[in-house]
Amino acid sequence: MRLMPLREALAAHVADGDCVALEGFTHLIPFAAGHELIRQGRRNLHLVRMTPDLIYDQLIGMGCAKRLTFSWGGNPGIGSLHRLRDAVEHGWPRPLELDEHSHAGMAAAFCAGAARLPFGMLRGYLDNDLDKVNPRIGRIECPFTGERLAAVPAINPDVTILHAQCADREGNVAIQGIIGAQREAALAAGALVVTVEEIVDQLAPAMNGIVLPHWTVDAVVHCPGGAYPSYAHGHYSRDNSFYQRWDAISRDRDGFNDWMRAHVLETNDHAGFLASLRAEAA
Amino acid sequence: MSAATRDEWMTVAAARMLWNRCVCFVGIGLPSAACNLARFTHAPDIVLIYESGTIGTRPDVLPLSIGDGELAQTASFVVPLPEVFSHYLQAGRVDVGFLGAAQIDRYGNLNSTVIGPYESPTTRLPGAGGAPEIAAHARQTFVMLKASPRSLVEQLDFRTSAGYLDGHGARARTGATGDGPRAVITDFGILTPHPRSDELRLSALYAGATVEEARAAVASPLLLAETVETIAAPSESELAILRALHARTREAHSRPVVLPTLLT
């Protein structure tokens, strides 16, 4: 594990064409890392995420993605992701291949990936059309009962990127609150990069808490505010008003491009991104 | 107190269908309002599960998203997301699942994926999320849907979640462990499945709504139950509690978030 600045960590671990999972279920979404991928101009990424949130709307709208594996693609509590819709409905700025699942199916695929099994299994996808449009939903027979079950190939991203509250200097990472499928996505990955709010000398005793041990982590990045406008429980709240504002910002291509230029492309790093929003609000 | 809006009628009607101690898988929006209204009225020990992994949550305000901090802060416990779907939902530990959709057909099958062909949709919707397996494994599901000619249709553009498929008996052959959609709560009243055919039919109207209004709201022919009941108006107390909940929610969501200060 290496403690690195975000720019170096992503330059070292994410290449064009990689399969990349930025996970975090509403909570702890790695926005800073997503913006850095946009600044570095990554292309042809296969993005993986259960709930493509605003950060994937931005990556897709900026032309970084060629494929998306997902299970629910909206702006949570608000409505559509307009850049995702534009890519699917009109191929702008480029067409997007969809590998579409249900939450339960994707969770099973992440669990299988973490366990290095070839596929995940569930009693799911029962009599719906998802398996007609996704050849990666298969069927197997239970060798003991003969029951037919759904199977999904394991998801093993080249790189998983997470945001968490805390890491120690050895690179052990502690996550609190809503954790989604972050642990599974982390352990399924070829490389794991974690941005954290804080670096401490010693983590609190974890007991049943979630910890990613240092030998599973490739790079830790100190990045306060790295989940904003999502949130880091115990550090800052979700900025619901930003999620509401995104609906208008992202609705048309020009407005979206202007916003991305001003707040992401023309800022140096996440500190600059946050400063640009503060300046706009002032 | 001013007359109830149709959203309030829907929320109150859905809340009344829940019972104390029932284990309920909650979706954002009207279902979340209904479940929490039930908790604040007749069902104080209802167990609310949000798919983000918060179990037994007791939020004071409605969450804007499925994973707001308020849900974790007030939960009995928080589990990883794969566990919610495998150990709780798939294992049959959920009494009621609430679903919404863009389209529903007369057998309660739902579409929340695309309008138009999948490869070149006219409208790309958010997609399945938890719905296919909630529809399969919750002991029963309730669907909340604002009725329009585009929402109640003869033929779905895409089947995201199975209801009764093509009629009575079909569902039993699928491996689904739950009983399927027991009620569709719309903005004119409630549809329930026919006991033999499983075809949805109008079985209750809100006081003041008419069969003609209901028929005009939907594209497909609307079947009527032998007796169409009348649903009593939201009471003063139900409305007061619901409106206070919405007011607290609006206040909480408009509170400015302090941008994180960098500690470099």
Side-chain angles (χ1 to χ4, degrees), chain B residues 194-226:
Chain B
H194 187 281
R196 285 185 302 282
S197 70
D198 280 343
E199 200 167 351
L200 294 171
R201 60 212 186 124
L202 182 65
S203 57
L205 275 171
Y206 301 141
T210 63
V211 171
E212 293 67 39
E213 181 193 352
R215 285 206 158 116
V218 299
S220 57
L222 192 61
L223 291 184
L224 298 186
E226 280 154 32

mmCIF file of all heavy atoms in Angstrom, chain B residues 194-226:
data_model
loop_
_atom_site.group_PDB
_atom_site.id
_atom_site.type_symbol
_atom_site.label_atom_id
_atom_site.label_comp_id
_atom_site.label_asym_id
_atom_site.label_seq_id
_atom_site.Cartn_x
_atom_site.Cartn_y
_atom_site.Cartn_z
ATOM 1 N N HIS B 194 -58.558 -10.246 -9.012
ATOM 2 C CA HIS B 194 -59.746 -11.101 -8.967
ATOM 3 C C HIS B 194 -59.361 -12.435 -8.330
ATOM 4 O O HIS B 194 -58.304 -12.993 -8.655
ATOM 5 C CB HIS B 194 -60.262 -11.320 -10.392
ATOM 6 C CG HIS B 194 -61.561 -12.048 -10.463
ATOM 7 N ND1 HIS B 194 -61.637 -13.421 -10.327
ATOM 8 C CD2 HIS B 194 -62.828 -11.617 -10.641
ATOM 9 C CE1 HIS B 194 -62.903 -13.798 -10.418
ATOM 10 N NE2 HIS B 194 -63.646 -12.712 -10.612
ATOM 11 N N PRO B 195 -60.168 -12.969 -7.429
ATOM 12 C CA PRO B 195 -59.751 -14.167 -6.703
ATOM 13 C C PRO B 195 -59.495 -15.386 -7.597
ATOM 14 O O PRO B 195 -58.716 -16.254 -7.226
ATOM 15 C CB PRO B 195 -60.906 -14.438 -5.739
ATOM 16 C CG PRO B 195 -61.989 -13.488 -6.079
ATOM 17 C CD PRO B 195 -61.429 -12.420 -6.956
ATOM 18 N N ARG B 196 -60.118 -15.458 -8.763
ATOM 19 C CA ARG B 196 -59.877 -16.627 -9.626
ATOM 20 C C ARG B 196 -58.935 -16.315 -10.792
ATOM 21 O O ARG B 196 -58.028 -17.083 -11.071
ATOM 22 C CB ARG B 196 -61.203 -17.188 -10.148
ATOM 23 C CG ARG B 196 -61.966 -17.962 -9.067
ATOM 24 C CD ARG B 196 -63.223 -18.618 -9.598
ATOM 25 N NE ARG B 196 -64.154 -17.653 -10.193
ATOM 26 C CZ ARG B 196 -64.955 -16.869 -9.472
ATOM 27 N NH1 ARG B 196 -64.947 -16.938 -8.145
ATOM 28 N NH2 ARG B 196 -65.763 -16.021 -10.054
ATOM 29 N N SER B 197 -59.112 -15.193 -11.454
ATOM 30 C CA SER B 197 -58.300 -14.911 -12.645
ATOM 31 C C SER B 197 -57.019 -14.131 -12.335
ATOM 32 O O SER B 197 -56.105 -14.091 -13.139
ATOM 33 C CB SER B 197 -59.121 -14.104 -13.651
ATOM 34 O OG SER B 197 -59.329 -12.787 -13.146
ATOM 35 N N ASP B 198 -56.964 -13.516 -11.158
ATOM 36 C CA ASP B 198 -55.870 -12.608 -10.782
ATOM 37 C C ASP B 198 -55.829 -11.333 -11.612
ATOM 38 O O ASP B 198 -54.863 -10.570 -11.566
ATOM 39 C CB ASP B 198 -54.497 -13.303 -10.838
ATOM 40 C CG ASP B 198 -54.240 -14.160 -9.605
ATOM 41 O OD1 ASP B 198 -54.939 -13.964 -8.597
ATOM 42 O OD2 ASP B 198 -53.354 -15.017 -9.666
ATOM 43 N N GLU B 199 -56.859 -11.078 -12.395
ATOM 44 C CA GLU B 199 -56.902 -9.833 -13.154
ATOM 45 C C GLU B 199 -57.245 -8.688 -12.204
ATOM 46 O O GLU B 199 -58.134 -8.818 -11.355
ATOM 47 C CB GLU B 199 -57.954 -9.955 -14.244
ATOM 48 C CG GLU B 199 -57.761 -8.962 -15.348
ATOM 49 C CD GLU B 199 -58.617 -9.299 -16.574
ATOM 50 O OE1 GLU B 199 -59.221 -10.387 -16.622
ATOM 51 O OE2 GLU B 199 -58.685 -8.449 -17.454
ATOM 52 N N LEU B 200 -56.544 -7.572 -12.375
ATOM 53 C CA LEU B 200 -56.784 -6.439 -11.471
ATOM 54 C C LEU B 200 -58.137 -5.800 -11.771
ATOM 55 O O LEU B 200 -58.518 -5.625 -12.924
ATOM 56 C CB LEU B 200 -55.689 -5.384 -11.637
ATOM 57 C CG LEU B 200 -54.290 -5.814 -11.201
ATOM 58 C CD1 LEU B 200 -53.264 -4.758 -11.614
ATOM 59 C CD2 LEU B 200 -54.232 -6.049 -9.690
ATOM 60 N N ARG B 201 -58.835 -5.445 -10.712
ATOM 61 C CA ARG B 201 -60.113 -4.757 -10.916
ATOM 62 C C ARG B 201 -60.280 -3.712 -9.837
ATOM 63 O O ARG B 201 -59.702 -3.828 -8.748
ATOM 64 C CB ARG B 201 -61.259 -5.761 -10.925
ATOM 65 C CG ARG B 201 -61.297 -6.488 -9.634
ATOM 66 C CD ARG B 201 -61.794 -7.904 -9.712
ATOM 67 N NE ARG B 201 -61.852 -8.301 -8.309
ATOM 68 C CZ ARG B 201 -62.914 -8.768 -7.692
ATOM 69 N NH1 ARG B 201 -64.018 -9.037 -8.348
ATOM 70 N NH2 ARG B 201 -62.892 -9.031 -6.418
ATOM 71 N N LEU B 202 -61.069 -2.731 -10.172
ATOM 72 C CA LEU B 202 -61.295 -1.629 -9.238
ATOM 73 C C LEU B 202 -62.177 -2.126 -8.105
ATOM 74 O O LEU B 202 -63.327 -2.528 -8.329
ATOM 75 C CB LEU B 202 -61.980 -0.477 -9.973
ATOM 76 C CG LEU B 202 -62.251 0.773 -9.132
ATOM 77 C CD1 LEU B 202 -60.960 1.437 -8.689
ATOM 78 C CD2 LEU B 202 -63.119 1.761 -9.906
ATOM 79 N N SER B 203 -61.642 -2.121 -6.878
ATOM 80 C CA SER B 203 -62.432 -2.639 -5.764
ATOM 81 C C SER B 203 -62.737 -1.580 -4.723
ATOM 82 O O SER B 203 -63.563 -1.804 -3.845
ATOM 83 C CB SER B 203 -61.730 -3.835 -5.122
ATOM 84 O OG SER B 203 -60.445 -3.454 -4.699
ATOM 85 N N ALA B 204 -62.085 -0.427 -4.813
ATOM 86 C CA ALA B 204 -62.413 0.649 -3.865
ATOM 87 C C ALA B 204 -62.115 2.002 -4.499
ATOM 88 O O ALA B 204 -61.123 2.149 -5.222
ATOM 89 C CB ALA B 204 -61.611 0.478 -2.582
ATOM 90 N N LEU B 205 -62.972 2.951 -4.249
ATOM 91 C CA LEU B 205 -62.802 4.320 -4.755
ATOM 92 C C LEU B 205 -62.669 5.268 -3.570
ATOM 93 O O LEU B 205 -63.301 5.067 -2.529
ATOM 94 C CB LEU B 205 -64.034 4.747 -5.544
ATOM 95 C CG LEU B 205 -64.133 4.374 -7.010
ATOM 96 C CD1 LEU B 205 -65.540 4.707 -7.502
ATOM 97 C CD2 LEU B 205 -63.080 5.101 -7.842
ATOM 98 N N TYR B 206 -61.859 6.305 -3.743
ATOM 99 C CA TYR B 206 -61.831 7.348 -2.719
ATOM 100 C C TYR B 206 -63.181 8.035 -2.702
ATOM 101 O O TYR B 206 -63.825 8.204 -3.752
ATOM 102 C CB TYR B 206 -60.738 8.381 -3.032
ATOM 103 C CG TYR B 206 -59.340 7.780 -3.105
ATOM 104 C CD1 TYR B 206 -58.436 8.205 -4.063
ATOM 105 C CD2 TYR B 206 -58.943 6.789 -2.207
ATOM 106 C CE1 TYR B 206 -57.157 7.662 -4.129
ATOM 107 C CE2 TYR B 206 -57.669 6.234 -2.271
ATOM 108 C CZ TYR B 206 -56.780 6.672 -3.239
ATOM 109 O OH TYR B 206 -55.531 6.129 -3.312
ATOM 110 N N ALA B 207 -63.632 8.421 -1.515
ATOM 111 C CA ALA B 207 -64.894 9.148 -1.416
ATOM 112 C C ALA B 207 -64.796 10.387 -2.305
ATOM 113 O O ALA B 207 -63.829 11.135 -2.216
ATOM 114 C CB ALA B 207 -65.149 9.544 0.032
ATOM 115 N N GLY B 208 -65.740 10.543 -3.205
ATOM 116 C CA GLY B 208 -65.698 11.703 -4.111
ATOM 117 C C GLY B 208 -65.209 11.344 -5.500
ATOM 118 O O GLY B 208 -65.522 12.017 -6.466
ATOM 119 N N ALA B 209 -64.417 10.276 -5.639
ATOM 120 C CA ALA B 209 -63.971 9.861 -6.976
ATOM 121 C C ALA B 209 -65.060 8.981 -7.595
ATOM 122 O O ALA B 209 -65.845 8.366 -6.886
ATOM 123 C CB ALA B 209 -62.665 9.088 -6.880
ATOM 124 N N THR B 210 -65.109 8.952 -8.926
ATOM 125 C CA THR B 210 -66.157 8.180 -9.588
ATOM 126 C C THR B 210 -65.552 7.132 -10.518
ATOM 127 O O THR B 210 -64.417 7.254 -10.942
ATOM 128 C CB THR B 210 -67.054 9.098 -10.457
ATOM 129 O OG1 THR B 210 -66.221 9.663 -11.490
ATOM 130 C CG2 THR B 210 -67.680 10.201 -9.634
ATOM 131 N N VAL B 211 -66.375 6.124 -10.822
ATOM 132 C CA VAL B 211 -65.950 5.075 -11.751
ATOM 133 C C VAL B 211 -65.619 5.702 -13.109
ATOM 134 O O VAL B 211 -64.643 5.323 -13.760
ATOM 135 C CB VAL B 211 -67.045 4.008 -11.899
ATOM 136 C CG1 VAL B 211 -66.713 3.042 -13.022
ATOM 137 C CG2 VAL B 211 -67.219 3.262 -10.586
ATOM 138 N N GLU B 212 -66.422 6.693 -13.526
ATOM 139 C CA GLU B 212 -66.179 7.335 -14.823
ATOM 140 C C GLU B 212 -64.803 7.994 -14.848
ATOM 141 O O GLU B 212 -64.064 7.886 -15.817
ATOM 142 C CB GLU B 212 -67.260 8.386 -15.123
ATOM 143 C CG GLU B 212 -68.654 7.824 -15.355
ATOM 144 C CD GLU B 212 -69.276 7.194 -14.111
ATOM 145 O OE1 GLU B 212 -69.101 7.754 -12.999
ATOM 146 O OE2 GLU B 212 -69.910 6.123 -14.232
ATOM 147 N N GLU B 213 -64.473 8.660 -13.751
ATOM 148 C CA GLU B 213 -63.174 9.333 -13.656
ATOM 149 C C GLU B 213 -62.049 8.298 -13.728
ATOM 150 O O GLU B 213 -61.044 8.488 -14.418
ATOM 151 C CB GLU B 213 -63.105 10.091 -12.318
ATOM 152 C CG GLU B 213 -61.825 10.848 -12.108
ATOM 153 C CD GLU B 213 -61.668 11.327 -10.655
ATOM 154 O OE1 GLU B 213 -62.628 11.195 -9.854
ATOM 155 O OE2 GLU B 213 -60.575 11.803 -10.333
ATOM 156 N N ALA B 214 -62.246 7.198 -13.034
ATOM 157 C CA ALA B 214 -61.236 6.142 -13.035
ATOM 158 C C ALA B 214 -61.068 5.581 -14.445
ATOM 159 O O ALA B 214 -59.953 5.400 -14.929
ATOM 160 C CB ALA B 214 -61.630 5.044 -12.060
ATOM 161 N N ARG B 215 -62.181 5.324 -15.115
ATOM 162 C CA ARG B 215 -62.116 4.763 -16.480
ATOM 163 C C ARG B 215 -61.431 5.734 -17.429
ATOM 164 O O ARG B 215 -60.646 5.319 -18.288
ATOM 165 C CB ARG B 215 -63.527 4.469 -16.993
ATOM 166 C CG ARG B 215 -64.119 3.230 -16.366
ATOM 167 C CD ARG B 215 -65.163 2.599 -17.286
ATOM 168 N NE ARG B 215 -65.351 1.205 -16.954
ATOM 169 C CZ ARG B 215 -66.507 0.704 -16.498
ATOM 170 N NH1 ARG B 215 -67.553 1.478 -16.336
ATOM 171 N NH2 ARG B 215 -66.582 -0.586 -16.227
ATOM 172 N N ALA B 216 -61.715 7.015 -17.260
ATOM 173 C CA ALA B 216 -61.141 8.015 -18.158
ATOM 174 C C ALA B 216 -59.629 8.141 -17.950
ATOM 175 O O ALA B 216 -58.898 8.541 -18.848
ATOM 176 C CB ALA B 216 -61.806 9.366 -17.918
ATOM 177 N N ALA B 217 -59.169 7.770 -16.755
ATOM 178 C CA ALA B 217 -57.745 7.987 -16.436
ATOM 179 C C ALA B 217 -56.838 6.949 -17.066
ATOM 180 O O ALA B 217 -55.634 7.139 -17.127
ATOM 181 C CB ALA B 217 -57.563 7.982 -14.919
ATOM 182 N N VAL B 218 -57.396 5.836 -17.519
ATOM 183 C CA VAL B 218 -56.522 4.755 -17.978
ATOM 184 C C VAL B 218 -56.856 4.347 -19.406
ATOM 185 O O VAL B 218 -57.978 4.525 -19.878
ATOM 186 C CB VAL B 218 -56.626 3.531 -17.039
ATOM 187 C CG1 VAL B 218 -56.187 3.912 -15.643
ATOM 188 C CG2 VAL B 218 -58.024 2.960 -17.018
ATOM 189 N N ALA B 219 -55.864 3.743 -20.079
ATOM 190 C CA ALA B 219 -56.054 3.374 -21.480
ATOM 191 C C ALA B 219 -56.759 2.038 -21.622
ATOM 192 O O ALA B 219 -57.562 1.844 -22.533
ATOM 193 C CB ALA B 219 -54.696 3.308 -22.171
ATOM 194 N N SER B 220 -56.467 1.121 -20.716
ATOM 195 C CA SER B 220 -57.041 -0.217 -20.871
ATOM 196 C C SER B 220 -58.410 -0.276 -20.207
ATOM 197 O O SER B 220 -58.716 0.520 -19.331
ATOM 198 C CB SER B 220 -56.108 -1.250 -20.273
ATOM 199 O OG SER B 220 -55.868 -0.944 -18.926
ATOM 200 N N PRO B 221 -59.261 -1.224 -20.643
ATOM 201 C CA PRO B 221 -60.584 -1.340 -20.018
ATOM 202 C C PRO B 221 -60.415 -1.653 -18.537
ATOM 203 O O PRO B 221 -59.551 -2.452 -18.177
ATOM 204 C CB PRO B 221 -61.217 -2.525 -20.750
ATOM 205 C CG PRO B 221 -60.352 -2.826 -21.911
ATOM 206 C CD PRO B 221 -59.015 -2.248 -21.662
ATOM 207 N N LEU B 222 -61.207 -1.001 -17.716
ATOM 208 C CA LEU B 222 -61.066 -1.168 -16.276
ATOM 209 C C LEU B 222 -62.167 -2.094 -15.770
ATOM 210 O O LEU B 222 -63.354 -1.809 -15.927
ATOM 211 C CB LEU B 222 -61.164 0.206 -15.607
ATOM 212 C CG LEU B 222 -60.760 0.309 -14.153
ATOM 213 C CD1 LEU B 222 -59.302 -0.063 -13.941
ATOM 214 C CD2 LEU B 222 -61.004 1.739 -13.669
ATOM 215 N N LEU B 223 -61.777 -3.228 -15.212
ATOM 216 C CA LEU B 223 -62.761 -4.145 -14.644
ATOM 217 C C LEU B 223 -63.217 -3.624 -13.286
ATOM 218 O O LEU B 223 -62.438 -3.007 -12.569
ATOM 219 C CB LEU B 223 -62.144 -5.519 -14.438
ATOM 220 C CG LEU B 223 -61.794 -6.339 -15.669
ATOM 221 C CD1 LEU B 223 -61.286 -7.703 -15.227
ATOM 222 C CD2 LEU B 223 -63.007 -6.481 -16.573
ATOM 223 N N LEU B 224 -64.462 -3.930 -12.966
ATOM 224 C CA LEU B 224 -64.976 -3.517 -11.655
ATOM 225 C C LEU B 224 -65.228 -4.748 -10.795
ATOM 226 O O LEU B 224 -65.700 -5.785 -11.288
ATOM 227 C CB LEU B 224 -66.305 -2.778 -11.807
ATOM 228 C CG LEU B 224 -66.297 -1.478 -12.599
ATOM 229 C CD1 LEU B 224 -67.669 -0.813 -12.509
ATOM 230 C CD2 LEU B 224 -65.231 -0.525 -12.086
ATOM 231 N N ALA B 225 -64.941 -4.626 -9.504
ATOM 232 C CA ALA B 225 -65.308 -5.684 -8.568
ATOM 233 C C ALA B 225 -66.827 -5.687 -8.418
ATOM 234 O O ALA B 225 -67.495 -4.700 -8.759
ATOM 235 C CB ALA B 225 -64.646 -5.430 -7.230
ATOM 236 N N GLU B 226 -67.374 -6.801 -7.917
ATOM 237 C CA GLU B 226 -68.838 -6.870 -7.751
ATOM 238 C C GLU B 226 -69.329 -5.735 -6.856
ATOM 239 O O GLU B 226 -70.352 -5.125 -7.114
ATOM 240 C CB GLU B 226 -69.221 -8.228 -7.169
ATOM 241 C CG GLU B 226 -69.252 -9.301 -8.250
ATOM 242 C CD GLU B 226 -69.005 -10.695 -7.695
ATOM 243 O OE1 GLU B 226 -69.385 -10.951 -6.539
ATOM 244 O OE2 GLU B 226 -68.408 -11.496 -8.431
#
